[in-house]
Amino acid sequence: MARLIRAASVDRVLVDRGLEHSEFEAGDWDPGFRVAQAGRRAVHVFWDGPGEADQLEAITTELRNEGLHVVPTQQDRGGRRRLEVTRP
């Protein structure tokens, strides 16, 4: 069963790896990542900008190297790609 995980801890791992946050400016997103708490035992990671699939794959590798469990998913009805991150 997955253990408690916080979005802030996943965010810290990615920032420590040199990734930058996305920002909404002038009606559009600057490229980067976002994390969102998805309950007590899961965090979602999104990539805003070009190269979404490649960036999410690279993020998956970084998070797995930290010992986290990562499953690529997609929001309902053809929505955004995202990573679901949990602690094993």
Side-chain angles (χ1 to χ4, degrees):
M1 174 181 246
R3 298 180 298 157
L4 179 68
I5 188 170
R6 296 279 182 228
S9 63
V10 174
D11 184 87
R12 192 173 318 113
V13 167
L14 297 175
V15 168
D16 288 349
R17 298 295 183 273
L19 294 173
E20 295 185 9
H21 294 105
S22 60
E23 292 187 32
F24 191 74
E25 292 182 2
D28 200 9
W29 285 99
D30 287 339
F33 76 93
R34 289 183 290 127
V35 296
Q37 194 71 43
R40 293 172 31 108
R41 294 184 172 97
V43 171
H44 288 150
V45 178
F46 298 89
W47 179 263
D48 297 312
E52 179 184 48
D54 293 336
Q55 292 294 336
L56 288 176
E57 187 175 320
I59 290 170
T60 296
T61 300
E62 293 293 339
L63 294 174
R64 286 181 177 160
N65 288 341
E66 286 294 314
L68 298 169
H69 182 72
V70 182
V71 176
T73 64
Q74 190 166 4
Q75 293 175 320
D76 291 339
R77 299 181 189 118
R80 300 278 319 270
R81 293 179 188 164
R82 63 185 177 196
L83 303 176
E84 184 174 305
V85 183
T86 59
R87 291 192 188 277

